[in-house]
Amino acid sequence: MRSFLILLLFVSGSIFAQDKTLKLWPEKIPNSQTSSEKETQEKRGILWISKVQEPTMEVFLPVKQAATGQAVLIFPGGGYEGLAYDWEGTQIAKWLNTKGIAGIVLKYRLPNSKSVKTSYEAPLQDAKRAIRLIRSHADEWNIDQNQVGIMGFSAGGHLASTLGTHFNAEETVPQDSIRDINARPDFMILVYPVITMKKEFTHMGSRNSLLGKNPSEELVEEFSNEEQVQIDTPPTFLVHATDDDVVPVENSIQFYRALVDKNIDAEMHIYPEGGHGFALALDKGYLKTWTDRLSDWLQRQEENEDQE
């Protein structure tokens, strides 16, 4: 019945509530410094955003009648040098809306920005802040606070897996009204993600942008997220293509093995072809059905929450 209602609303053109954009940090942005740098937005077939100065989240809500209570915070990829903002962001949020799920796109600060003091801290600071903001608006946005997940593509997948494994890490951000809200995501969706910072399988562009060209072994270990999985790491869905020549499929395989070793609910789909950056894969033959697998998995997460 719910699926029929969602389809009816979609066909009638009313599935999307009006979107809104919120600043993450209404006061001073932590870990920032004054610079002459300006944000840039370019249309390269996709909307490419770089040099982010003011991190924001853009909220896309399904109409109340269709809402499942789930929300997904989306981290677009771009090698930690920019954001493929519509390709791996807003169009994903709109697809989630067709499933009755709130989609929230994070425009996070990039570590190579001259306005950032400590490179590797800024994206995670923004990610934690965003998930807390979502939970603080849960009642207003018809969201279940226990069904707030994250989704990351490529380097955005590294940020997502960092949040999923470092949500309890010590923070250097100001105390305010939402600072103590739980930052642990309830589930993770990782799409052709960068996971490791170790040279054998990492994406070197992402590593260099995040950690610098000569990072310490301690930093490499800390941000190699296959090494950081704990028993409270959230349930995870992974999808990757074997022929990905940008981010090796071993990134997903290593993370999946780490999850299974900790008895964490994990589902992985590896396709023989698809390359890198396929997003919804609408022009990729049967690979485009990966979103059907995700839809089934998200419904399972909802059912598991209802049973608890």
Side-chain angles (χ1 to χ4, degrees), residues 87 91-92 153 191-192 271 273-274 277-291:
W87 182 246
Q91 77 162 357
I92 307 300
F153 296 78
V191 187
Y192 40 85
Y271 291 79
E273 297 178 346
F278 51 76
L280 292 177
L282 297 180
D283 62 345
K284 295 286 187 178
Y286 83 97
L287 176 57
K288 68 184 178 184
T289 64
W290 82 263
T291 54

Side-chain angles (χ1 to χ4, degrees), residues 2 70 147 187 235-237 264-267 293-308:
R2 189 183 73 195
Q70 288 181 313
Q147 280 289 286
F187 53 85
T236 302
F237 178 98
I264 294 165
D265 182 14
E267 180 170 321
R293 310 289 75 75
L294 174 58
S295 182
D296 293 341
W297 185 83
L298 285 167
Q299 186 170 346
R300 179 165 166 257
Q301 302 313 304
E302 182 186 356
E303 291 168 353
N304 289 346
E305 170 62 21
D306 290 342
Q307 293 170 6
E308 290 182 1

Side-chain angles (χ1 to χ4, degrees), residues 2-258:
R2 189 183 73 195
S3 297
F4 174 75
L5 175 61
I6 293 173
L7 178 61
L8 182 63
L9 289 167
F10 179 64
V11 171
S12 69
S14 61
I15 187 69
F16 306 120
Q18 186 174 7
D19 62 290
K20 59 193 79 178
T21 301
L22 281 68
K23 291 182 179 181
L24 293 190
W25 309 98
E27 305 297 333
K28 181 174 171 55
I29 300 171
N31 187 31
S32 64
Q33 59 192 2
T34 302
S35 81
S36 60
E37 194 173 65
K38 304 293 183 184
E39 179 177 308
T40 63
Q41 298 193 11
E42 305 170 72
K43 261 294 188 182
R44 303 179 174 180
I46 63 173
L47 176 58
W48 179 259
I49 299 178
S50 58
K51 301 177 182 178
V52 173
Q53 304 298 301
E54 178 72 69
T56 61
M57 63 184 200
E58 190 171 1
V59 182
F60 295 82
L61 301 175
V63 294
K64 185 175 181 180
Q65 296 91 328
T68 66
Q70 288 181 313
V72 177
L73 176 63
I74 304 162
F75 307 136
Y80 279 127
E81 295 183 358
L83 304 175
Y85 191 77
D86 50 2
W87 182 246
E88 295 172 344
T90 55
Q91 77 162 357
I92 307 300
K94 292 172 183 177
W95 174 81
L96 287 165
N97 281 180
T98 69
K99 306 299 179 182
I101 300 167
I104 296 108
V105 185
L106 184 63
K107 186 176 75 173
Y108 55 92
R109 285 174 293 162
L110 297 157
N112 61 357
S113 170
K114 294 177 182 177
S115 300
V116 168
K117 288 182 180 178
T118 303
S119 62
Y120 53 83
E121 290 183 356
L124 183 58
Q125 287 171 329
D126 292 348
K128 284 187 174 183
R129 180 73 176 186
I131 204 165
R132 287 171 173 145
L133 267 176
I134 294 169
R135 288 194 167 114
S136 75
H137 286 277
D139 291 342
E140 175 190 351
W141 295 346
N142 303 305
I143 289 169
D144 181 346
Q145 290 196 43
N146 297 315
Q147 280 289 286
V148 179
I150 57 177
M151 183 177 192
F153 296 78
S154 193
H158 184 266
L159 178 54
S161 64
T162 302
L163 178 56
T165 54
H166 294 70
F167 54 84
N168 278 331
E170 186 177 346
E171 295 181 71
T172 55
V173 296
Q175 183 69 44
D176 64 10
S177 61
I178 70 169
R179 169 66 173 72
D180 294 329
I181 293 177
N182 181 16
R184 177 187 180 272
D186 293 299
F187 53 85
M188 289 196 291
I189 304 156
L190 307 178
V191 187
Y192 40 85
V194 179
I195 295 292
T196 190
M197 289 287 109
K198 298 178 181 179
K199 284 186 176 180
E200 184 179 8
F201 294 124
T202 193
H203 175 247
M204 286 302 296
S206 296
R207 170 178 150 138
N208 290 343
S209 291
L210 185 67
L211 304 182
K213 293 187 177 180
N214 296 294
S216 67
E217 287 301 317
E218 290 77 14
L219 268 184
V220 170
E221 183 77 9
E222 181 181 355
F223 287 95
S224 291
N225 292 326
E226 77 279 9
E227 303 292 348
Q228 303 303 325
V229 173
Q230 304 297 327
I231 60 172
D232 54 359
T233 298
T236 302
F237 178 98
L238 298 117
V239 62
H240 218 123
T242 303
D243 67 349
D244 190 328
D245 60 359
V246 177
V247 177
V249 70
E250 282 81 4
N251 282 264
S252 285
I253 293 170
Q254 288 184 357
F255 198 67
Y256 176 80
R257 286 173 174 162

